[in-house]
Amino acid sequence: MPGQVHKHHRIAKVLADEIRAGVHSDGSRLPGEHALTGRFGVSRTTVRQALNVLGEQGLIATHAGIGSFVTFDGTPLDNRLGWTQALAEQGTELSTGILRFETVDDPALARELGLESVEFIALDRVRRLAGGDGVSLERSRVPAVGPLAGLPGRGLEGGSLNKALIAAGRVADTGEATIAVAGISESDAAVLHRSPGESFLHLSQVFRAADGSVVEQVTSLLDPSRFQLHVRTTGRGGLV
């Protein structure tokens, strides 16, 4: 795993130097992932890790989600950056509070996702406006495997779960989501400082790596007056 981390940073540096030198002019697209894997002789996962690094450095624009993306007040939130960084970069003043960060056993979720291990890293976060009202409540569950095991004890670099996943080589290749509109429960309303029964978007997402393994499962409650989910399609309504 350390070799992979070193490798994707090396690739990112090569591409960053080329971008700064004008090899890839402003607004032009980098070669596709297939071309980059061939050029550098690495896997798609390593290439995607390198592209994530370039996105975090602001050198390329990345697309949020696979087939869909979420906006806050009309501005896309890039999942590859993580919502905390994406919101900060668009100048949105939201505070993020961590409600829970620990390793848990969840047999029901393991069965739902088809996993043998029932151990997950649980990270629950609430995001609030300056006045204190919550606009989102997110519950992330990550299989506690490999270098991610024991992550709560080590903590998150810069408060970013996304960075921890990338460093561990866990990069999402595909994703699926379900969304509904429903009233929030009394307990969730208390956390969000909202009224019980108030309508929120209920978004459930599962992200998988290129080998089909689960990277992350996330359930989110989103204020529909601020958040929207957009779906990209191709042709006559075919999903991307």
Side-chain angles (χ1 to χ4, degrees), residues 19 28 33 51 68 94-95 99 118 128-129 143 158 160 183 204 216:
I19 292 170
S28 69
E33 290 179 5
L51 296 178
S68 65
L94 287 183
S95 63
L99 306 173
V118 300
R128 304 185 188 280
L129 298 169
S160 174
S204 178
E216 182 182 11

Side-chain angles (χ1 to χ4, degrees), residues 38-60:
R39 174 185 173 185
F40 293 103
V42 297
S43 67
R44 286 178 62 193
T45 296
T46 300
V47 166
R48 290 188 174 187
Q49 287 176 296
L51 296 178
N52 280 330
V53 171
L54 294 177
E56 291 176 354
Q57 294 174 350
L59 292 174
I60 64 171

Side-chain angles (χ1 to χ4, degrees), residues 10-22:
R10 176 177 59 80
I11 294 170
K13 184 179 186 308
V14 170
L15 294 174
D17 289 344
E18 290 179 352
I19 292 170
R20 294 187 179 103

Side-chain angles (χ1 to χ4, degrees):
M1 192 62 64
Q4 276 192 321
V5 174
H6 174 77
K7 195 177 298 182
H8 82 256
H9 279 292
R10 176 177 59 80
I11 294 170
K13 184 179 186 308
V14 170
L15 294 174
D17 289 344
E18 290 179 352
I19 292 170
R20 294 187 179 103
V23 175
H24 308 289
S25 59
D26 186 38
S28 69
R29 295 176 61 88
L30 286 173
E33 290 179 5
H34 180 72
L36 291 174
T37 59
R39 174 185 173 185
F40 293 103
V42 297
S43 67
R44 286 178 62 193
T45 296
T46 300
V47 166
R48 290 188 174 187
Q49 287 176 296
L51 296 178
N52 280 330
V53 171
L54 294 177
E56 291 176 354
Q57 294 174 350
L59 292 174
I60 64 171
T62 56
H63 298 287
I66 301 164
S68 65
F69 61 96
V70 174
T71 61
F72 181 84
D73 287 349
T75 301
L77 296 177
D78 194 334
N79 280 335
R80 297 188 184 186
L81 294 180
W83 282 11
T84 299
Q85 183 177 341
L87 286 164
E89 290 193 356
Q90 73 180 50
T92 301
E93 294 185 5
L94 287 183
S95 63
T96 301
I98 295 180
L99 306 173
R100 182 186 196 188
F101 187 30
E102 60 185 345
T103 301
V104 301
D105 288 346
D106 192 333
L109 181 59
R111 285 194 299 272
E112 179 184 332
L113 297 176
L115 302 178
E116 292 185 4
S117 173
V118 300
E119 199 171 68
F120 294 88
I121 295 165
L123 176 60
D124 297 352
R125 291 172 288 189
V126 61
R127 303 183 197 275
R128 304 185 188 280
L129 298 169
D133 288 343
V135 292
S136 76
L137 176 56
E138 301 139 30
R139 297 181 171 98
S140 296
R141 299 295 180 267
V142 173
V145 296
L148 290 171
L151 180 62
R154 299 190 300 272
L156 294 174
E157 179 184 350
S160 174
L161 176 61
N162 192 63
K163 287 183 179 179
L165 291 172
I166 293 172
R170 304 298 293 151
V171 180
D173 181 74
T174 61
E176 57 186 79
T178 59
I179 189 168
V181 178
I184 55 177
S185 67
E186 285 193 23
S187 59
D188 288 339
V191 171
L192 289 162
H193 298 172
R194 308 293 286 259
S195 301
E198 190 172 345
S199 293
F200 264 58
L201 299 177
H202 291 235
L203 176 63
S204 178
Q205 299 171 284
V206 178
F207 298 99
R208 296 181 182 272
D211 62 3
S213 60
V214 175
V215 175
E216 182 182 11
Q217 187 268 351
V218 189
T219 57
S220 305
L221 299 178
L222 307 173
D223 182 346
S225 70
R226 313 303 294 265
F227 290 92
Q228 287 185 312
L229 177 68
H230 302 255
V231 177
R232 293 193 295 267
T233 62
T234 59
R236 297 184 61 181
L239 289 179
V240 173

